[in-house]
Amino acid sequence: MEAFSPWTLFVDIGIISLLLLTGKLMRVKIKWVQKLFIPPSLLAGFIGLALGPYGFNILPLSNQTGTYAGILIAFIFGALPLTSQKAKGNSSEIGSMWVYSQAGLLLQWAFGGLLGLLILCQIWPLSPGFGITMPSGYCGGHGTAAAIGQAFGQLGFDEILTLAMTAATFGIVASVILGLIFVKWGAKNKHTTYLADYNDLPSELRTGLLPTEKRESMGESTCSSISIDSLTFNLAVVCAIALGGYGISKLATYFMPGFELPVFSCAFVAGILIKKVLDRTRASESICPQTVGHISGAMTDFLVAFGIASIKVSVVIEYIVPLSILLLSGLAVTLFYVFFMARKLMKDCWFEKALFTWGWFTGTMAMGIALLRVVDPKMKSHCLDSYALAYLFIAPVEISLITFAPVAFTNGYGLIFSGICLAACLGVLSVAYFKKWFIR
């Protein structure tokens, strides 16, 4: 095997970049790809998987593609605090969105953990954390899958990365295909508020190319190019935060040998701290949240492509039966919860908000937004406004789940962890009951 070098990284990034461009070309030119709204990053990952070292071994990708995904997630989580915007909204709508999203997130983690430990692990010799590959791949997407896989890999369970990445990939495919079926069903049965006919969708949603009159700026230039390019400045801040997260992780290990905090969660903490310092010194005025958001989005595209390309097909085949049971059961539970609870908690535009949440709970946040734009192209439902504020309370819980789940499951506390998730889910729903947010 050839030794890893900076040129290996150069070749890997170059190949994935070419595959991303190929995926974009397929989205623009191939009709069935347009109809299924398949993201170019997903297509790039599938091509990389088929032609890479875990497929036909035609493309000279290295065996470090899974490692790249684990590193990229640190940049993405580190950028989150810098992209937060102050939003306004009705308190009851925000509260309902928080209950709806938080309870669904906790339900997925509880269901996956309990199904894995109480049933699947009793039938097959599986890792104790097998069940939570489903929620880490569904709710979290490839980013969380990379984080969970990296954490379990450090604890000796290398197969979790492949299983979580497989769950995330399956989730995105299910999100797109079933999501579009729901759109057609909703439009036909008059559940959509702003979409009368599925065939009325504008061409830019299908091809992904914006016409000239609909193009928007990617961000503001906050620095003079004479001193430093604005993109360079924003990228440097994100990289510094990610490095700070790596330093915090290593510092924790130095003082507590044997205990290693995930770099991505430490990067999130570093981002919060640096954001507070920037706000106090008013230096945050030089940060462009829109530019940082595009940097995070670019890294997410590369993460998805690298993550899928790193899936070890042999591992998936080995676990195909229990993995299929886990993923299909999780999909069914998520489907029931999303559309049943939307009617109970959402007073207005329940279908639009359910479709957004379906995309998020099974694919990625970007997929949720993409599906929302199909039924609400002008964002009149204010779904994202409510979600933006609700996520301020959801994010710490999600970070805690991802951080402590590997430690809990590998040390024999998986049942307790899953039980706490289930109790917390019921507790969140009880808040809605006492606040009278449920619709009778």
Side-chain angles (χ1 to χ4, degrees), residues 8-22:
T8 308
L9 174 63
F10 173 82
V11 171
D12 285 344
I13 293 177
I15 291 174
I16 290 297
S17 298
L18 287 173
L19 295 182
L20 284 169
L21 293 174
T22 302

Side-chain angles (χ1 to χ4, degrees), residues 154 183 246:
Q154 293 170 348
V183 170
Y246 178 79

Side-chain angles (χ1 to χ4, degrees), residues 164-440:
M165 284 293 181
T166 303
T169 304
F170 178 82
I172 288 184
V173 174
S175 172
V176 173
I177 295 176
L178 293 180
L180 294 177
I181 291 175
F182 298 149
V183 170
K184 292 181 179 180
W185 172 81
K188 182 179 179 181
N189 290 276
K190 309 300 180 184
H191 293 309
T192 53
T193 309
Y194 307 105
L195 179 69
D197 190 346
Y198 178 79
N199 295 319
D200 294 338
L201 293 177
S203 61
E204 63 264 23
L205 286 181
R206 300 182 186 277
T207 64
L209 291 177
L210 288 174
T212 305
E213 66 274 10
K214 293 187 178 181
R215 294 176 184 177
E216 300 177 351
S217 172
M218 290 181 63
E220 297 179 339
S221 295
T222 57
C223 301
S224 171
S225 57
I226 297 176
S227 60
I228 186 173
D229 188 85
S230 183
L231 179 60
T232 305
F233 176 74
N234 285 277
L235 178 60
V237 173
V238 174
C239 292
I241 290 173
L243 180 63
Y246 178 79
I248 293 173
S249 176
K250 292 302 179 184
L251 194 64
T253 303
Y254 177 79
F255 286 105
M256 294 178 288
F259 179 74
E260 187 164 354
L261 289 172
V263 175
F264 77 91
S265 56
C266 294
F268 182 75
V269 173
I272 293 174
L273 295 176
I274 291 178
K275 180 67 163 58
K276 288 185 177 297
V277 172
L278 293 174
D279 288 342
R280 287 289 181 89
T281 59
R282 300 191 67 178
S284 58
E285 295 177 2
S286 299
I287 303 291
C288 177
Q290 194 175 359
T291 301
V292 174
H294 281 294
I295 292 172
S296 177
M299 292 185 175
T300 301
D301 286 333
F302 276 95
L303 185 148
V304 172
F306 275 124
I308 297 175
S310 68
I311 293 175
K312 297 178 180 178
V313 179
S314 59
V315 175
V316 176
I317 294 174
E318 181 182 354
Y319 293 94
I320 188 64
V321 176
L323 187 62
S324 298
I325 295 173
L326 175 68
L327 297 184
L328 292 174
S329 300
L331 204 65
V333 169
T334 302
L335 173 61
F336 174 79
Y337 174 86
V338 165
F339 285 93
F340 176 79
M341 293 304 298
R343 290 176 180 246
K344 296 293 182 181
L345 287 167
M346 303 301 167
K347 294 181 180 179
D348 301 310
C349 304
W350 73 267
F351 183 82
E352 286 75 10
K353 294 172 182 176
L355 193 67
F356 163 76
T357 308
W358 166 259
W360 170 37
F361 275 10
T362 55
T364 62
M365 183 57 56
M367 190 54 61
I369 295 173
L371 288 174
L372 178 63
R373 288 192 63 192
V374 172
V375 292
D376 182 17
K378 296 184 179 180
M379 298 298 174
K380 293 181 179 180
S381 64
H382 301 291
C383 174
L384 293 183
D385 295 338
S386 299
Y387 172 79
L389 282 174
Y391 193 73
L392 294 176
F393 304 96
I394 297 170
V397 177
E398 188 171 12
I399 296 292
S400 300
L401 290 170
I402 303 167
T403 301
F404 297 109
V407 178
F409 278 85
T410 53
N411 286 279
Y413 299 106
L415 279 178
I416 296 176
F417 180 92
S418 302
I420 291 174
C421 289
L422 183 58
C425 171
L426 297 175
V428 169
L429 291 175
S430 68
V431 171
Y433 176 80
F434 289 113
K435 287 285 187 178
K436 297 182 179 179
W437 289 336
F438 278 111
I439 300 171
R440 295 182 179 179

